[in-house]
Amino acid sequence: MPRAEREQQMVEVAEEIFADRGFLATSMDDVAEGVGVSKPMIYEYFGSKEGLFVACIRAARAELLNVTLASVVGVNSAEEALRRGLTAFFAFTDSHRRSWKLLQAEAAVAGPEAVAEIEAVRRQQTAVNTTLFESFLPDVPHNELEAYAEIVVGACERLSLWYVQRDDVDAAGAAEILMRMVWFGLRPL
């Protein structure tokens, strides 16, 4: 199997095991057995358990960026762009429900690289939101749009922690809850 495919396989299996057992309770033996490779091979690819955990976060960050950007292609209004972006975010957290809770709860336990990677996810989403806001709100100062983007990212993160623990709200419903809060402040702009 080519290295890139094997690495992706290891990350996918590791994400499931981390989500099921938590970072501390997961061993590299567990992951090696799940993938069907030797433990030294996993160390060769990722260096450490934290390195593997960080690779899981990076893969999720790349996927989140792709689904977020795809959700706003062809959108004609700021309101629709925000709603679609929020829905895409909550659909993403829904498809990674168990691992999303794990990432939020255990990144600090995993180590400083994991904490930095979680922050990179936040910065990425803030940059996407700022760019999107700029395209619809060209007369609003950049630093103000950045502040709004930070607010949306923070609100998404907190609401997603609530959302992934529930079965009575879908991604569109979670997005609508946040739209009702955020859109009142942005609509006048």
Side-chain angles (χ1 to χ4, degrees):
M1 178 180 289
R3 182 181 174 104
E5 288 178 36
R6 176 67 75 193
E7 187 172 315
Q8 181 180 353
Q9 179 190 34
M10 290 176 184
V11 167
E12 288 172 1
V13 169
E15 180 183 351
E16 284 295 316
I17 295 171
F18 283 134
D20 284 341
R21 301 179 189 172
F23 178 80
L24 294 176
T26 296
S27 73
M28 293 297 258
D29 287 322
D30 298 332
V31 177
E33 182 180 320
V35 177
V37 299
S38 67
K39 185 167 72 169
M41 184 180 228
I42 295 177
Y43 278 106
E44 179 183 325
Y45 277 57
F46 301 103
S48 66
K49 185 165 74 167
E50 182 183 2
L52 180 58
F53 192 69
V54 168
C56 291
I57 299 168
R58 282 191 184 127
R61 178 166 53 116
E63 183 181 345
L64 178 59
L65 178 61
N66 288 336
V67 300
T68 303
L69 293 177
S71 74
V72 295
V73 170
V75 172
N76 296 317
S77 74
E79 181 178 5
E80 188 60 22
L82 184 59
R83 180 174 280 110
R84 283 191 188 183
L86 293 173
T87 302
F89 173 79
F90 289 113
F92 171 83
T93 59
D94 192 38
S95 68
H96 296 278
R97 192 172 281 256
R98 291 176 306 141
S99 38
W100 181 258
K101 287 193 301 190
L102 169 79
L103 290 175
Q104 297 302 314
E106 296 198 27
V109 173
E113 271 190 83
V115 171
E117 194 60 35
I118 291 289
E119 185 56 31
V121 174
R122 292 179 185 119
R123 285 192 314 274
Q124 169 188 283
Q125 292 307 110
T126 296
V128 167
N129 288 335
T130 302
T131 301
L132 188 61
F133 292 165
E134 284 174 331
S135 70
F136 288 105
L137 307 169
D139 298 330
V140 178
H142 177 80
N143 67 333
E144 194 173 322
L145 294 176
E146 261 184 346
Y148 296 143
E150 289 282 359
I151 291 166
V152 169
V153 168
C156 281
E157 188 172 331
R158 291 304 306 167
L159 186 58
S160 70
L161 292 173
W162 171 83
Y163 166 69
V164 297
Q165 297 177 46
R166 307 185 64 87
D167 292 326
D168 61 339
V169 180
D170 64 6
E176 200 56 41
I177 290 168
L178 194 52
M179 280 296 294
R180 286 195 296 266
M181 289 294 295
V182 173
W183 187 243
F184 288 114
L186 293 175
R187 182 177 38 203
L189 299 174

